[in-house]
mmCIF file of all heavy atoms in Angstrom:
data_model
loop_
_atom_site.group_PDB
_atom_site.id
_atom_site.type_symbol
_atom_site.label_atom_id
_atom_site.label_comp_id
_atom_site.label_asym_id
_atom_site.label_seq_id
_atom_site.Cartn_x
_atom_site.Cartn_y
_atom_site.Cartn_z
ATOM 1 N N MET O 26 2.566 -5.410 -6.798
ATOM 2 C CA MET O 26 3.593 -4.639 -6.046
ATOM 3 C C MET O 26 4.570 -5.627 -5.438
ATOM 4 O O MET O 26 4.184 -6.530 -4.735
ATOM 5 C CB MET O 26 2.918 -3.768 -5.026
ATOM 6 C CG MET O 26 3.909 -2.826 -4.305
ATOM 7 S SD MET O 26 3.086 -1.710 -3.116
ATOM 8 C CE MET O 26 2.468 -0.475 -4.253
ATOM 9 N N ASN O 27 5.800 -5.379 -5.643
ATOM 10 C CA ASN O 27 6.816 -6.324 -5.068
ATOM 11 C C ASN O 27 7.118 -5.984 -3.596
ATOM 12 O O ASN O 27 6.738 -4.910 -3.134
ATOM 13 C CB ASN O 27 8.140 -6.346 -5.846
ATOM 14 C CG ASN O 27 8.832 -5.060 -5.895
ATOM 15 O OD1 ASN O 27 8.968 -4.392 -4.854
ATOM 16 N ND2 ASN O 27 9.422 -4.681 -6.984
ATOM 17 N N THR O 28 7.734 -6.917 -2.886
ATOM 18 C CA THR O 28 7.938 -6.755 -1.496
ATOM 19 C C THR O 28 8.814 -5.532 -1.136
ATOM 20 O O THR O 28 8.511 -4.787 -0.162
ATOM 21 C CB THR O 28 8.604 -8.028 -0.905
ATOM 22 O OG1 THR O 28 7.774 -9.155 -1.284
ATOM 23 C CG2 THR O 28 8.790 -8.016 0.554
ATOM 24 N N ASP O 29 9.821 -5.291 -1.966
ATOM 25 C CA ASP O 29 10.704 -4.105 -1.658
ATOM 26 C C ASP O 29 9.901 -2.793 -1.802
ATOM 27 O O ASP O 29 10.085 -1.928 -0.965
ATOM 28 C CB ASP O 29 11.896 -4.135 -2.649
ATOM 29 C CG ASP O 29 12.859 -5.253 -2.322
ATOM 30 O OD1 ASP O 29 12.924 -5.736 -1.203
ATOM 31 O OD2 ASP O 29 13.609 -5.659 -3.268
ATOM 32 N N ALA O 30 9.074 -2.752 -2.810
ATOM 33 C CA ALA O 30 8.303 -1.533 -3.017
ATOM 34 C C ALA O 30 7.306 -1.356 -1.889
ATOM 35 O O ALA O 30 7.074 -0.208 -1.442
ATOM 36 C CB ALA O 30 7.609 -1.555 -4.357
ATOM 37 N N LEU O 31 6.712 -2.417 -1.439
ATOM 38 C CA LEU O 31 5.715 -2.358 -0.344
ATOM 39 C C LEU O 31 6.428 -1.935 0.961
ATOM 40 O O LEU O 31 5.875 -1.123 1.677
ATOM 41 C CB LEU O 31 5.037 -3.711 -0.170
ATOM 42 C CG LEU O 31 3.932 -3.721 0.821
ATOM 43 C CD1 LEU O 31 2.829 -2.696 0.562
ATOM 44 C CD2 LEU O 31 3.335 -5.126 0.921
ATOM 45 N N ASN O 32 7.544 -2.470 1.230
ATOM 46 C CA ASN O 32 8.313 -2.097 2.423
ATOM 47 C C ASN O 32 8.707 -0.586 2.356
ATOM 48 O O ASN O 32 8.662 0.066 3.371
ATOM 49 C CB ASN O 32 9.576 -2.942 2.636
ATOM 50 C CG ASN O 32 9.164 -4.362 3.026
ATOM 51 O OD1 ASN O 32 8.156 -4.569 3.705
ATOM 52 N ND2 ASN O 32 10.035 -5.275 2.728
ATOM 53 N N GLU O 33 9.142 -0.160 1.179
ATOM 54 C CA GLU O 33 9.480 1.250 1.002
ATOM 55 C C GLU O 33 8.264 2.143 1.249
ATOM 56 O O GLU O 33 8.369 3.208 1.954
ATOM 57 C CB GLU O 33 10.037 1.488 -0.388
ATOM 58 C CG GLU O 33 10.499 2.894 -0.574
ATOM 59 C CD GLU O 33 11.060 3.083 -2.029
ATOM 60 O OE1 GLU O 33 11.398 2.124 -2.700
ATOM 61 O OE2 GLU O 33 11.117 4.258 -2.459
ATOM 62 N N LEU O 34 7.128 1.744 0.772
ATOM 63 C CA LEU O 34 5.872 2.528 1.016
ATOM 64 C C LEU O 34 5.535 2.539 2.465
ATOM 65 O O LEU O 34 5.168 3.603 3.017
ATOM 66 C CB LEU O 34 4.714 1.904 0.168
ATOM 67 C CG LEU O 34 3.367 2.544 0.395
ATOM 68 C CD1 LEU O 34 3.347 4.016 -0.036
ATOM 69 C CD2 LEU O 34 2.277 1.766 -0.433
ATOM 70 N N ALA O 35 5.647 1.392 3.143
ATOM 71 C CA ALA O 35 5.322 1.340 4.590
ATOM 72 C C ALA O 35 6.272 2.211 5.392
ATOM 73 O O ALA O 35 5.829 2.932 6.294
ATOM 74 C CB ALA O 35 5.435 -0.145 5.083
ATOM 75 N N GLU O 36 7.546 2.250 5.010
ATOM 76 C CA GLU O 36 8.476 3.080 5.768
ATOM 77 C C GLU O 36 8.175 4.571 5.500
ATOM 78 O O GLU O 36 8.255 5.366 6.449
ATOM 79 C CB GLU O 36 9.896 2.776 5.271
ATOM 80 C CG GLU O 36 10.409 1.443 5.782
ATOM 81 C CD GLU O 36 11.810 1.126 5.171
ATOM 82 O OE1 GLU O 36 12.474 1.981 4.594
ATOM 83 O OE2 GLU O 36 12.190 -0.090 5.289
ATOM 84 N N LEU O 37 7.831 4.913 4.323
ATOM 85 C CA LEU O 37 7.410 6.331 4.006
ATOM 86 C C LEU O 37 6.176 6.753 4.800
ATOM 87 O O LEU O 37 6.178 7.801 5.329
ATOM 88 C CB LEU O 37 7.199 6.420 2.527
ATOM 89 C CG LEU O 37 6.878 7.811 1.979
ATOM 90 C CD1 LEU O 37 8.013 8.804 2.209
ATOM 91 C CD2 LEU O 37 6.537 7.790 0.502
ATOM 92 N N ILE O 38 5.195 5.875 4.811
ATOM 93 C CA ILE O 38 3.953 6.183 5.556
ATOM 94 C C ILE O 38 4.283 6.316 7.035
ATOM 95 O O ILE O 38 3.794 7.208 7.715
ATOM 96 C CB ILE O 38 2.903 5.104 5.315
ATOM 97 C CG1 ILE O 38 2.378 5.174 3.899
ATOM 98 C CG2 ILE O 38 1.747 5.213 6.302
ATOM 99 C CD1 ILE O 38 1.476 4.008 3.478
ATOM 100 N N TYR O 39 5.159 5.413 7.600
ATOM 101 C CA TYR O 39 5.490 5.522 9.033
ATOM 102 C C TYR O 39 6.217 6.823 9.300
ATOM 103 O O TYR O 39 5.948 7.466 10.311
ATOM 104 C CB TYR O 39 6.372 4.312 9.376
ATOM 105 C CG TYR O 39 6.812 4.295 10.839
ATOM 106 C CD1 TYR O 39 5.904 3.925 11.779
ATOM 107 C CD2 TYR O 39 8.055 4.672 11.164
ATOM 108 C CE1 TYR O 39 6.221 3.977 13.170
ATOM 109 C CE2 TYR O 39 8.457 4.609 12.530
ATOM 110 C CZ TYR O 39 7.527 4.268 13.504
ATOM 111 O OH TYR O 39 7.914 4.270 14.828
ATOM 112 N N ALA O 40 7.085 7.251 8.408
ATOM 113 C CA ALA O 40 7.928 8.394 8.639
ATOM 114 C C ALA O 40 7.101 9.719 8.393
ATOM 115 O O ALA O 40 7.273 10.705 9.174
ATOM 116 C CB ALA O 40 9.143 8.439 7.746
ATOM 117 N N GLN O 41 6.252 9.737 7.391
ATOM 118 C CA GLN O 41 5.571 11.003 7.037
ATOM 119 C C GLN O 41 4.079 10.978 7.233
ATOM 120 O O GLN O 41 3.417 12.012 7.182
ATOM 121 C CB GLN O 41 5.897 11.332 5.585
ATOM 122 C CG GLN O 41 7.321 11.532 5.331
ATOM 123 C CD GLN O 41 7.664 11.894 3.935
ATOM 124 O OE1 GLN O 41 6.713 12.068 3.076
ATOM 125 N NE2 GLN O 41 8.883 11.980 3.549
ATOM 126 N N GLY O 42 3.505 9.903 7.512
ATOM 127 C CA GLY O 42 2.082 9.730 7.681
ATOM 128 C C GLY O 42 1.360 9.676 6.288
ATOM 129 O O GLY O 42 2.032 9.736 5.232
ATOM 130 N N ILE O 43 0.068 9.562 6.343
ATOM 131 C CA ILE O 43 -0.692 9.478 5.114
ATOM 132 C C ILE O 43 -1.339 10.834 4.891
ATOM 133 O O ILE O 43 -2.056 11.347 5.718
ATOM 134 C CB ILE O 43 -1.846 8.398 5.188
ATOM 135 C CG1 ILE O 43 -1.179 7.007 5.242
ATOM 136 C CG2 ILE O 43 -2.736 8.502 3.992
ATOM 137 C CD1 ILE O 43 -2.201 5.861 5.406
ATOM 138 N N ILE O 44 -1.092 11.433 3.737
ATOM 139 C CA ILE O 44 -1.587 12.705 3.405
ATOM 140 C C ILE O 44 -3.028 12.624 2.769
ATOM 141 O O ILE O 44 -3.845 13.434 3.015
ATOM 142 C CB ILE O 44 -0.643 13.474 2.420
ATOM 143 C CG1 ILE O 44 0.702 13.711 3.095
ATOM 144 C CG2 ILE O 44 -1.239 14.747 1.981
ATOM 145 C CD1 ILE O 44 1.773 14.190 2.188
ATOM 146 N N GLN O 45 -3.205 11.558 2.081
ATOM 147 C CA GLN O 45 -4.460 11.316 1.352
ATOM 148 C C GLN O 45 -4.956 9.919 1.715
ATOM 149 O O GLN O 45 -4.164 9.015 1.918
ATOM 150 C CB GLN O 45 -4.134 11.386 -0.136
ATOM 151 C CG GLN O 45 -5.399 11.153 -1.000
ATOM 152 C CD GLN O 45 -5.001 11.292 -2.518
ATOM 153 O OE1 GLN O 45 -4.103 12.039 -2.818
ATOM 154 N NE2 GLN O 45 -5.690 10.585 -3.337
ATOM 155 N N SER O 46 -6.217 9.797 1.816
ATOM 156 C CA SER O 46 -6.795 8.462 2.121
ATOM 157 C C SER O 46 -6.501 7.460 1.012
ATOM 158 O O SER O 46 -6.363 7.856 -0.171
ATOM 159 C CB SER O 46 -8.256 8.545 2.263
ATOM 160 O OG SER O 46 -8.640 9.410 3.343
ATOM 161 N N LEU O 47 -6.334 6.203 1.413
ATOM 162 C CA LEU O 47 -6.088 5.144 0.376
ATOM 163 C C LEU O 47 -7.392 4.258 0.287
ATOM 164 O O LEU O 47 -8.073 4.047 1.305
ATOM 165 C CB LEU O 47 -4.958 4.239 0.878
ATOM 166 C CG LEU O 47 -3.558 4.923 0.862
ATOM 167 C CD1 LEU O 47 -2.581 3.815 1.405
ATOM 168 C CD2 LEU O 47 -3.158 5.373 -0.456
ATOM 169 N N VAL O 48 -7.682 3.855 -0.883
ATOM 170 C CA VAL O 48 -8.725 2.890 -1.110
ATOM 171 C C VAL O 48 -8.072 1.667 -1.682
ATOM 172 O O VAL O 48 -7.451 1.704 -2.720
ATOM 173 C CB VAL O 48 -9.819 3.479 -2.107
ATOM 174 C CG1 VAL O 48 -10.875 2.374 -2.383
ATOM 175 C CG2 VAL O 48 -10.416 4.735 -1.590
ATOM 176 N N LEU O 49 -8.290 0.539 -0.947
ATOM 177 C CA LEU O 49 -7.674 -0.751 -1.362
ATOM 178 C C LEU O 49 -8.703 -1.730 -1.779
ATOM 179 O O LEU O 49 -9.890 -1.640 -1.372
ATOM 180 C CB LEU O 49 -6.894 -1.362 -0.188
ATOM 181 C CG LEU O 49 -5.838 -0.436 0.444
ATOM 182 C CD1 LEU O 49 -5.261 -1.169 1.671
ATOM 183 C CD2 LEU O 49 -4.720 -0.096 -0.533
ATOM 184 N N GLN O 50 -8.292 -2.662 -2.637
ATOM 185 C CA GLN O 50 -9.180 -3.758 -3.047
ATOM 186 C C GLN O 50 -8.409 -5.019 -2.860
ATOM 187 O O GLN O 50 -7.260 -5.157 -3.286
ATOM 188 C CB GLN O 50 -9.573 -3.540 -4.441
ATOM 189 C CG GLN O 50 -10.345 -4.711 -5.112
ATOM 190 C CD GLN O 50 -10.677 -4.425 -6.559
ATOM 191 O OE1 GLN O 50 -11.243 -3.401 -6.864
ATOM 192 N NE2 GLN O 50 -10.382 -5.369 -7.414
ATOM 193 N N GLN O 51 -9.024 -6.027 -2.212
ATOM 194 C CA GLN O 51 -8.398 -7.337 -2.096
ATOM 195 C C GLN O 51 -8.531 -8.132 -3.354
ATOM 196 O O GLN O 51 -9.529 -8.201 -3.976
ATOM 197 C CB GLN O 51 -9.044 -8.111 -0.903
ATOM 198 C CG GLN O 51 -8.240 -9.352 -0.581
ATOM 199 C CD GLN O 51 -8.795 -9.989 0.682
ATOM 200 O OE1 GLN O 51 -9.839 -9.700 1.155
ATOM 201 N NE2 GLN O 51 -7.989 -10.861 1.242
ATOM 202 N N THR O 52 -7.396 -8.719 -3.806
ATOM 203 C CA THR O 52 -7.407 -9.516 -5.029
ATOM 204 C C THR O 52 -7.746 -10.929 -4.757
ATOM 205 O O THR O 52 -7.812 -11.368 -3.575
ATOM 206 C CB THR O 52 -6.036 -9.394 -5.720
ATOM 207 O OG1 THR O 52 -5.070 -10.047 -4.912
ATOM 208 C CG2 THR O 52 -5.657 -7.995 -5.985
ATOM 209 N N CYS O 53 -7.896 -11.756 -5.793
ATOM 210 C CA CYS O 53 -8.230 -13.144 -5.587
ATOM 211 C C CYS O 53 -7.080 -13.951 -4.980
ATOM 212 O O CYS O 53 -7.211 -15.032 -4.551
ATOM 213 C CB CYS O 53 -8.721 -13.739 -6.906
ATOM 214 S SG CYS O 53 -7.519 -13.657 -8.208
ATOM 215 N N THR O 54 -5.876 -13.364 -5.012
ATOM 216 C CA THR O 54 -4.663 -14.047 -4.464
ATOM 217 C C THR O 54 -4.403 -13.603 -3.025
ATOM 218 O O THR O 54 -3.297 -13.788 -2.601
ATOM 219 C CB THR O 54 -3.448 -13.777 -5.339
ATOM 220 O OG1 THR O 54 -3.211 -12.362 -5.445
ATOM 221 C CG2 THR O 54 -3.643 -14.351 -6.761
ATOM 222 N N GLN O 55 -5.386 -13.029 -2.339
ATOM 223 C CA GLN O 55 -5.305 -12.558 -1.003
ATOM 224 C C GLN O 55 -4.253 -11.466 -0.742
ATOM 225 O O GLN O 55 -3.603 -11.408 0.247
ATOM 226 C CB GLN O 55 -5.031 -13.747 0.007
ATOM 227 C CG GLN O 55 -6.090 -14.862 -0.131
ATOM 228 C CD GLN O 55 -7.464 -14.339 0.238
ATOM 229 O OE1 GLN O 55 -7.656 -13.643 1.165
ATOM 230 N NE2 GLN O 55 -8.474 -14.680 -0.578
ATOM 231 N N GLN O 56 -4.061 -10.666 -1.812
ATOM 232 C CA GLN O 56 -3.217 -9.462 -1.756
ATOM 233 C C GLN O 56 -4.109 -8.258 -1.881
ATOM 234 O O GLN O 56 -5.290 -8.361 -2.129
ATOM 235 C CB GLN O 56 -2.103 -9.527 -2.780
ATOM 236 C CG GLN O 56 -1.193 -10.655 -2.655
ATOM 237 C CD GLN O 56 -0.124 -10.658 -3.768
ATOM 238 O OE1 GLN O 56 -0.333 -10.108 -4.834
ATOM 239 N NE2 GLN O 56 0.955 -11.317 -3.497
ATOM 240 N N TYR O 57 -3.559 -7.071 -1.686
ATOM 241 C CA TYR O 57 -4.324 -5.875 -1.894
ATOM 242 C C TYR O 57 -3.640 -5.029 -2.930
ATOM 243 O O TYR O 57 -2.427 -5.026 -3.168
ATOM 244 C CB TYR O 57 -4.305 -5.047 -0.593
ATOM 245 C CG TYR O 57 -5.119 -5.738 0.527
ATOM 246 C CD1 TYR O 57 -4.523 -6.660 1.405
ATOM 247 C CD2 TYR O 57 -6.401 -5.491 0.684
ATOM 248 C CE1 TYR O 57 -5.258 -7.290 2.381
ATOM 249 C CE2 TYR O 57 -7.240 -6.126 1.599
ATOM 250 C CZ TYR O 57 -6.602 -7.000 2.464
ATOM 251 O OH TYR O 57 -7.336 -7.628 3.426
ATOM 252 N N GLU O 58 -4.513 -4.269 -3.645
ATOM 253 C CA GLU O 58 -4.034 -3.291 -4.614
ATOM 254 C C GLU O 58 -4.639 -1.954 -4.346
ATOM 255 O O GLU O 58 -5.782 -1.876 -3.824
ATOM 256 C CB GLU O 58 -4.351 -3.765 -6.103
ATOM 257 C CG GLU O 58 -5.853 -3.863 -6.385
ATOM 258 C CD GLU O 58 -6.100 -4.323 -7.809
ATOM 259 O OE1 GLU O 58 -5.155 -4.366 -8.662
ATOM 260 O OE2 GLU O 58 -7.257 -4.713 -8.096
ATOM 261 N N ILE O 59 -3.826 -0.887 -4.612
ATOM 262 C CA ILE O 59 -4.327 0.452 -4.338
ATOM 263 C C ILE O 59 -5.218 0.865 -5.482
ATOM 264 O O ILE O 59 -4.807 0.882 -6.669
ATOM 265 C CB ILE O 59 -3.141 1.440 -4.214
ATOM 266 C CG1 ILE O 59 -2.316 1.032 -2.958
ATOM 267 C CG2 ILE O 59 -3.621 2.839 -4.044
ATOM 268 C CD1 ILE O 59 -1.026 1.840 -2.842
ATOM 269 N N ILE O 60 -6.457 1.278 -5.225
ATOM 270 C CA ILE O 60 -7.388 1.726 -6.231
ATOM 271 C C ILE O 60 -7.296 3.246 -6.335
ATOM 272 O O ILE O 60 -7.260 3.823 -7.433
ATOM 273 C CB ILE O 60 -8.826 1.318 -5.860
ATOM 274 C CG1 ILE O 60 -8.947 -0.155 -5.625
ATOM 275 C CG2 ILE O 60 -9.815 1.828 -6.927
ATOM 276 C CD1 ILE O 60 -8.560 -0.980 -6.886
ATOM 277 N N VAL O 61 -7.325 3.971 -5.270
ATOM 278 C CA VAL O 61 -7.254 5.421 -5.168
ATOM 279 C C VAL O 61 -6.240 5.820 -4.067
ATOM 280 O O VAL O 61 -6.302 5.250 -3.009
ATOM 281 C CB VAL O 61 -8.577 5.997 -4.890
ATOM 282 C CG1 VAL O 61 -8.552 7.576 -4.792
ATOM 283 C CG2 VAL O 61 -9.645 5.636 -5.923
ATOM 284 N N GLY O 62 -5.475 6.822 -4.408
ATOM 285 C CA GLY O 62 -4.588 7.328 -3.363
ATOM 286 C C GLY O 62 -3.166 7.517 -3.790
ATOM 287 O O GLY O 62 -2.756 7.109 -4.865
#
């Protein structure tokens, strides 16, 4: 996920909240990927 997309997602969550739980997985490059949600 690129930085712009991540920032857009963060702004959307801040404005509207999370409707569904997210399940994340940490990758070997110390980043996170969305598994479910």
Side-chain angles (χ1 to χ4, degrees):
M26 183 176 279
N27 67 39
T28 304
D29 292 335
L31 184 58
N32 287 334
E33 184 179 340
L34 176 60
E36 289 174 14
L37 182 64
I38 290 171
Y39 180 76
Q41 298 182 6
I43 295 178
I44 297 170
Q45 178 177 332
S46 298
L47 295 177
V48 176
L49 304 175
Q50 173 178 309
Q51 189 171 15
T52 66
C53 60
T54 59
Q55 302 302 312
Q56 296 179 338
Y57 292 91
E58 63 182 347
I59 298 173
I60 304 298
V61 177

